[in-house]
Amino acid sequence: QTGSQLPEQFYTHSIGLGALSLNGTDVKRIISEAMVDFEIARAIITYRSNGPEVTKFASEFLANIPNELDIGMLKISIQEPDLNNINKVVNIEFNNFGFNSVTVSGVRESWVIGKASTIASSLKTNENTFATSYKRFGINLNQLILFAMIVLIPSLPDTVSRAIFGISVFLLLTLLNLLHSKFLPNASINLTKSKTSIFARVFPSVISWFLAVSASVAAALVFSWLTKSAT
């Protein structure tokens, strides 16, 4: 009907990513994959090292890859007009100690969901599995230790021993979370390398396991000491 217009809808789909290790080749690949389905858009790269944020077109960025060893944040942004002249948008963000995510927006729901899922799936190859599991489900590990504490507490002879054990476990879990957040970045970005070594990929998982086991052993030692002190 002349003069009528279908109501416009705008869809946004965001996917949280796990802990990632990225090198220069990985970043080039993700930019290239993100640019699929865009015809006139120019990808924009924003990154931060030890100074302020720097924003460049992807072509300039790739022609002069920054040689900073510590990239704390990197964003890839692409947008261009789509149906009804409404922009379709792709935003990919990597943060050392923040969140890694891919967010896609547009007027076509199937494209929005498919695009976000495709990029997220591509980044699975860069995921540090155990570090991701701890950051995403760490509270479950904490609950397991707390469950063990609840089971063992009745074995202690008096209120003072139980209080000491409970406080010790609480402090150990607090320290465990603090160490993970401080020493295990959510995104490890080294643009100067074209290939990430096996050590660099495995190291975060090894540290995660070591910290988790150390906390469990420390809790067990406290319990053993309290038990022997009571006899």
Side-chain angles (χ1 to χ4, degrees):
Q1 182 179 349
T2 304
S4 66
Q5 185 176 6
L6 293 174
E8 296 173 354
Q9 296 189 46
F10 192 73
Y11 301 93
T12 298
H13 189 57
S14 183
I15 299 177
L17 305 171
L20 303 170
S21 294
L22 300 168
N23 55 48
T25 301
D26 296 323
V27 172
K28 290 177 182 178
R29 185 191 84 239
I30 295 304
I31 293 173
S32 177
E33 292 176 356
M35 285 295 296
V36 174
D37 300 327
F38 289 89
E39 297 178 0
I40 61 174
R42 298 182 68 184
I44 295 174
I45 309 299
T46 300
Y47 68 93
R48 182 184 67 247
S49 183
N50 296 320
E53 293 185 3
V54 178
T55 300
K56 298 179 178 180
F57 284 115
S59 55
E60 180 185 356
F61 175 83
L62 295 175
N64 299 280
I65 294 289
N67 57 10
E68 288 93 337
L69 295 179
D70 181 22
I71 302 295
M73 179 275 293
L74 190 143
K75 297 178 184 177
I76 303 170
S77 301
I78 312 167
Q79 61 177 314
E80 73 176 24
D82 198 11
L83 298 176
N84 299 321
N85 209 34
I86 297 175
N87 282 359
K88 58 182 180 182
V89 182
V90 171
N91 286 311
I92 308 169
E93 184 168 352
F94 308 109
N95 278 287
N96 274 13
F97 296 101
F99 293 100
N100 302 323
S101 64
V102 52
T103 301
V104 180
S105 302
V107 295
R108 292 174 290 160
E109 183 180 17
S110 59
W111 179 83
V112 167
I113 295 174
K115 186 71 172 178
S117 299
T118 298
I119 295 173
S121 297
S122 177
L123 284 163
K124 276 288 184 181
T125 58
N126 301 97
E127 188 174 304
N128 298 317
T129 307
F130 188 81
T132 295
S133 299
Y134 186 88
K135 287 176 179 292
R136 189 170 291 171
F137 308 112
I139 187 65
N140 293 333
L141 176 61
N142 292 352
Q143 287 174 342
L144 182 61
I145 296 176
L146 286 172
F147 175 75
M149 180 189 73
I150 293 171
V151 171
L152 294 173
I153 269 185
S155 302
L156 296 173
D158 53 58
T159 303
V160 173
S161 297
R162 294 168 189 168
I164 292 174
F165 184 53
I167 292 172
S168 299
V169 170
F170 174 77
L171 292 176
L172 283 169
L173 292 179
T174 301
L175 179 62
L176 181 61
N177 286 331
L178 178 64
L179 291 174
H180 268 88
S181 63
K182 186 174 179 63
F183 296 109
L184 284 177
N186 213 30
S188 177
I189 308 169
N190 191 329
L191 299 175
T192 60
K193 292 183 178 180
S194 60
K195 185 177 181 180
T196 304
S197 66
I198 295 177
F199 174 79
R201 290 186 182 277
V202 173
F203 181 71
S205 296
V206 172
I207 292 297
S208 290
W209 275 108
F210 175 77
L211 292 176
V213 170
S214 296
S216 301
V217 170
L221 290 174
V222 171
F223 178 79
S224 177
W225 173 72
L226 291 171
T227 303
K228 289 180 180 178
S229 298
T231 58

